[in-house]
Amino acid sequence: MSASRPAVHPVEAPPFTDGPNNLQRVRMKDTQGMPGTPGGLALRFFQFAFAAVSLSVMASTPDFQSVTAFWYRWTLEDMFWHLFSSYLVAAVGLQSLWSLSLAVVDIYALLVRRCLRNRQAVCLFTIGDGVTSTLTFAAACACAGITVLIGNDIGSCGQNPCARFEISTAMAFMSWFAVSPSFLLNFWSLASR
Amino acid sequence: MSASRPAVHPVEAPPFTDGPNNLQRVRMKDTQGMPGTPGGLALRFFQFAFAAVSLSVMASTPDFQSVTAFWYRWTLEDMFWHLFSSYLVAAVGLQSLWSLSLAVVDIYALLVRRCLRNRQAVCLFTIGDGVTSTLTFAAACACAGITVLIGNDIGSCGQNPCARFEISTAMAFMSWFAVSPSFLLNFWSLASR
């Protein structure tokens, strides 16, 4: 009787996912740009590259260093210019760190062919992308406003290296353009399960 | 034989939606903040109110009118200040028009108890929310940068009415805070079907 038990109760291995979920997972795996896909890795690379260029251009500006050293000679305009360039540096620094770490996660997932689709991970990626992209966009917009305002004033543009400031702002915008698809795709994949 | 055909081919009315979709639709109907719900109407009202206050504060500034009239006396700073306040006025004007029209649609949907959940409508709402919220946020950030830069300079703050400029910027930020949930909920409802 104990031998016949398997035939009486034919227990199938329970499916890991139910039907519609499984179907979605197959469909989602093909969408490039999500975490764990080559498209997603490319997006992360561009985010990191633009943010890193923006960071290095701004931080290597001679003014950024000399103004910090001779802080006792600051005028008010110098101070606010420094405040905003520091905020931009902080925002794109955070962005480049976040994109770099997610690029490493993507490379790992591609190498071991592991699916990065559990809910907690996607939720974390979405929140991180949302926060960093908002900070980067806010910094880029504020710096663009300041660049337009003081950059065209010939007198203050002699003091502040406007070209570097503009390049850094443009790179921050490019980085934001690369983060937005990541955020939207992650949010989409979070909602569609 | 022609009489027996209906019995041979018992044609059922095809279901309008399949099972999981229908279940999702019932779940989604309860989520406040989506179009056609009282929460969504409240969000639209706050978006419209903050954007309208921002618009009216900025447009009723005496400087905004007098500077426009005496444009031949403009300095460069006046010109850029005017450029940015005009951009803020345009962005929050678009935002208030969009929110007002969607509030009207929400009121109509609530009155006739109609469900605003067809795909085209949600897609349109999502794109509109995304575009207007990005424009409003960009304008608010740029104006915040300018306000901090020139607002604390006592000399130029005598010319430009800083308090009104700050109130208008803050209201634009509040409007953006109210648009973001609408955008995210619409995007979520677009993805989860």
Side-chain angles (χ1 to χ4, degrees):
Chain A
M1 187 168 170
S2 65
S4 71
R5 191 169 280 166
V8 174
H9 304 290
V11 179
E12 285 185 11
F16 286 103
T17 53
D18 46 346
N21 258 349
N22 207 2
L23 198 136
Q24 271 186 344
R25 190 157 296 184
V26 169
R27 187 165 55 80
M28 270 169 29
K29 197 174 274 181
D30 294 327
T31 309
Q32 288 295 319
M34 288 187 178
T37 59
L41 181 60
L43 274 180
R44 294 289 168 201
F45 173 74
F46 282 116
Q47 291 161 25
F48 171 70
F50 286 127
V53 169
S54 171
L55 177 70
S56 53
V57 165
M58 183 59 94
S60 72
T61 305
D63 208 60
F64 190 80
Q65 296 154 359
S66 70
V67 161
T68 312
F70 299 102
W71 57 269
Y72 47 85
R73 284 194 210 156
W74 280 4
T75 61
L76 261 177
E77 194 164 84
D78 279 345
M79 201 174 80
F80 287 113
W81 182 83
H82 194 70
L83 187 80
F84 276 99
S85 51
S86 301
Y87 173 50
L88 185 73
V89 163
V92 293
L94 180 70
Q95 179 69 62
S96 60
L97 279 181
W98 171 257
S99 297
L100 183 64
S101 46
L102 261 75
V104 170
V105 171
D106 272 357
I107 290 173
Y108 168 76
L110 280 173
L111 285 181
V112 303
R113 296 179 183 284
R114 187 162 170 173
C115 189
L116 288 173
R117 296 283 150 67
N118 60 331
R119 204 180 165 82
Q120 282 82 17
V122 175
C123 193
L124 179 73
F125 296 162
T126 308
I127 292 173
D129 277 340
V131 170
T132 56
S133 73
T134 306
L135 287 178
T136 305
F137 187 58
C141 287
C143 284
I146 289 172
T147 308
V148 171
L149 192 75
I150 69 169
N152 289 278
D153 194 352
I154 315 294
S156 33
C157 206
Q159 286 185 315
N160 304 317
C162 294
R164 281 171 174 272
F165 204 87
E166 278 162 17
I167 291 170
S168 184
T169 305
M171 289 294 139
F173 270 115
M174 298 294 282
S175 182
W176 176 73
F177 275 120
V179 184
S180 300
S182 281
F183 169 68
L184 292 179
L185 281 169
N186 275 328
F187 194 74
W188 183 279
S189 107
L190 190 69
S192 66
R193 63 189 53 208
Chain B
M1 185 165 172
S2 66
S4 71
R5 191 169 281 167
V8 175
H9 304 291
V11 178
E12 286 184 9
F16 286 103
T17 53
D18 47 345
N21 257 349
N22 207 2
L23 198 138
Q24 272 186 344
R25 191 158 294 183
V26 169
R27 187 166 56 81
M28 270 169 29
K29 198 175 272 180
D30 295 326
T31 309
Q32 288 295 319
M34 288 188 178
T37 58
L41 181 60
L43 274 179
R44 294 289 169 201
F45 172 74
F46 281 115
Q47 291 162 23
F48 171 69
F50 286 127
V53 168
S54 172
L55 177 70
S56 52
V57 165
M58 183 60 92
S60 72
T61 305
D63 208 58
F64 190 79
Q65 297 154 359
S66 71
V67 162
T68 311
F70 299 102
W71 57 268
Y72 46 86
R73 286 195 211 155
W74 279 5
T75 61
L76 261 177
E77 194 165 85
D78 278 347
M79 204 176 77
F80 287 114
W81 182 82
H82 195 70
L83 187 79
F84 277 99
S85 51
S86 301
Y87 173 48
L88 184 74
V89 163
V92 294
L94 180 69
Q95 179 69 62
S96 60
L97 277 181
W98 171 257
S99 297
L100 183 64
S101 48
L102 260 75
V104 169
V105 171
D106 272 356
I107 290 172
Y108 168 76
L110 281 172
L111 285 182
V112 302
R113 296 177 184 285
R114 187 162 170 174
C115 189
L116 288 174
R117 296 282 151 68
N118 60 329
R119 205 179 165 82
Q120 283 81 20
V122 174
C123 193
L124 179 73
F125 295 163
T126 308
I127 293 173
D129 278 339
V131 170
T132 56
S133 73
T134 307
L135 286 178
T136 305
F137 188 58
C141 287
C143 284
I146 290 172
T147 307
V148 171
L149 191 77
I150 68 170
N152 288 277
D153 194 353
I154 315 293
S156 32
C157 206
Q159 284 184 315
N160 304 319
C162 294
R164 280 171 176 272
F165 204 86
E166 279 162 16
I167 291 171
S168 185
T169 305
M171 288 294 138
F173 270 116
M174 299 293 283
S175 182
W176 176 73
F177 276 120
V179 183
S180 300
S182 281
F183 168 67
L184 292 179
L185 281 169
N186 275 328
F187 195 73
W188 184 278
S189 105
L190 190 67
S192 65
R193 66 186 53 207

